[in-house]
Amino acid sequence: MSSEEPLRPSDLPPAPPSQPTPPSQPIPPSQPAGQPIAPSQPIAPASPAAKSAADRTRTTRAAVIWSAVAVSLVVLVLLIIFFIQNQDMVAVRFLGWEGSLAQGVAFFIAAVGGGILVAIAGGARILQLRHNERRRRKSTDA
């Protein structure tokens, strides 16, 4: 909990003139309804405590990793559900190879193969861009 007082509606900055006044912000009685509120100077943090509150919301590497793990777990659960619901055996033929496989596994292998193709194409493009950048730097340095 913070020791600061919550902001009153009169302490909030006015809406920009190009946007209508939001319903949560009352229109001052001295101004007719429907007219935009004139912009004022930006409000600076009232105290160092307010600034440190903004610093606490900064994104850290640990938060990014935690979020990535959480999203990965959700995707993994969805994949498990997909495999469980697609257990029918299907005949698979590819370049002379033939066999039977669970339908969900066959789809998963196809998706991974497509991902590998995309990664190869992306890697080739990155190498091409790096090569062009190296060549450009050499020509401008000489």
Side-chain angles (χ1 to χ4, degrees), residues 2 6 42 45 58 60 86 91 113 116 127 141:
S2 173
R58 220 174 40 216
T60 63
N86 291 287
I116 289 171
L127 290 174
D141 289 344

Side-chain angles (χ1 to χ4, degrees), residues 46-82:
S47 66
K51 186 177 180 183
S52 67
D55 289 344
R56 276 187 260 137
T57 60
R58 220 174 40 216
T59 305
T60 63
R61 288 182 185 176
V64 171
I65 291 172
W66 184 87
S67 299
V69 167
V71 169
S72 298
L73 286 174
V74 169
V75 169
L76 184 62
V77 168
L78 293 173
L79 276 173
I80 290 171
I81 292 169
F82 178 77

Side-chain angles (χ1 to χ4, degrees), residues 23-117:
S24 62
Q25 185 179 15
I27 298 174
S30 63
Q31 187 170 0
Q35 288 187 355
I37 299 173
S40 63
Q41 295 178 356
I43 297 176
S47 66
K51 186 177 180 183
S52 67
D55 289 344
R56 276 187 260 137
T57 60
R58 220 174 40 216
T59 305
T60 63
R61 288 182 185 176
V64 171
I65 291 172
W66 184 87
S67 299
V69 167
V71 169
S72 298
L73 286 174
V74 169
V75 169
L76 184 62
V77 168
L78 293 173
L79 276 173
I80 290 171
I81 292 169
F82 178 77
F83 290 148
I84 290 171
Q85 290 181 345
N86 291 287
Q87 290 185 0
D88 299 334
M89 296 303 282
V90 293
V92 178
R93 293 177 194 89
F94 181 71
L95 297 176
W97 294 334
E98 190 173 332
S100 62
L101 207 55
Q103 187 178 19
V105 175
F107 287 151
F108 182 70
I109 291 171
V112 169
I116 289 171
L117 290 176

